[in-house]
Amino acid sequence: MANFKGYLIRFPKSGKLFPHELIAKDNYNGTPLQRTEIKAYRDSNNLLHRTTSPNYKSKIEFTTVDKLSLADMQSIRSVLNSSWDNSQQRKLRVEYWDDELLTYRTMTAYMPDITYQVKAITKNDVKYNAVTFTFIEY
């Protein structure tokens, strides 16, 4: 069996895991080792010629469970805020389960802007709709 250790995402700087119980499992998408074409063209015989970069990039995208509480959001933000290499750029290192190689890999990534949608508020709590997080390798 592969060396799976029971988590999908860990941040090496802080050593913290993204709270896996808050990830909607049917919405976790890993796209490891994406290829980038440096040059691609079709010749006069309509045959495809490709020059592919040897530097592959990964992308992780997932949605949280619905109805996140304020405590859930504080837990997520605590993990992220302690893991930035550069908070202005939202740059961080992400250790993730690579489903193509069936092992853990670490990438330097950035996290695009996030939209937070409030579902309900009470005197002491905020409930959020599911939130999408994306980590894109540099």
Side-chain angles (χ1 to χ4, degrees):
M1 187 168 175
N3 63 351
F4 187 72
K5 299 175 186 171
Y7 61 88
L8 295 171
I9 298 174
R10 185 178 82 85
F11 302 100
K13 180 176 182 179
S14 65
K16 295 180 180 179
L17 304 177
F18 192 97
H20 69 273
E21 68 277 5
L22 299 179
I23 298 174
K25 300 308 181 275
D26 59 344
N27 277 319
Y28 180 90
N29 297 295
T31 310
L33 306 173
Q34 296 177 94
R35 273 53 172 183
T36 303
E37 300 305 321
I38 296 171
K39 183 166 103 177
Y41 67 94
R42 291 197 178 268
D43 65 20
S44 60
N45 293 317
N46 204 25
L47 296 175
L48 180 63
H49 300 269
R50 298 169 54 203
T51 304
T52 304
S53 171
N55 298 311
Y56 308 144
K57 303 300 178 188
S58 297
K59 177 180 172 184
I60 305 296
E61 186 171 41
F62 59 89
T63 303
T64 65
V65 295
D66 200 22
K67 298 181 184 173
L68 288 172
S69 69
L70 182 57
D72 293 334
M73 192 60 75
Q74 287 171 326
S75 175
I76 290 169
R77 295 307 319 176
S78 173
V79 168
L80 290 172
N81 292 343
S82 65
S83 301
W84 300 126
D85 289 332
N86 182 320
S87 61
Q88 182 178 12
Q89 295 178 2
R90 289 194 184 122
K91 180 179 180 180
L92 68 172
R93 284 173 291 120
V94 180
E95 180 183 50
Y96 64 99
W97 177 250
D98 182 321
D99 293 296
E100 190 167 323
L101 298 178
L102 300 177
T103 191
Y104 286 98
R105 295 184 60 235
T106 300
M107 66 175 166
T108 298
Y110 69 93
M111 189 177 79
D113 293 341
I114 298 169
T115 300
Y116 301 94
Q117 187 178 44
V118 173
K119 187 171 193 114
I121 59 171
T122 66
K123 183 177 178 182
N124 299 316
D125 202 3
V126 178
K127 298 287 184 191
Y128 296 91
N129 282 330
V131 177
T132 300
F133 289 91
T134 305
F135 302 104
I136 301 170
E137 188 168 12
Y138 269 79

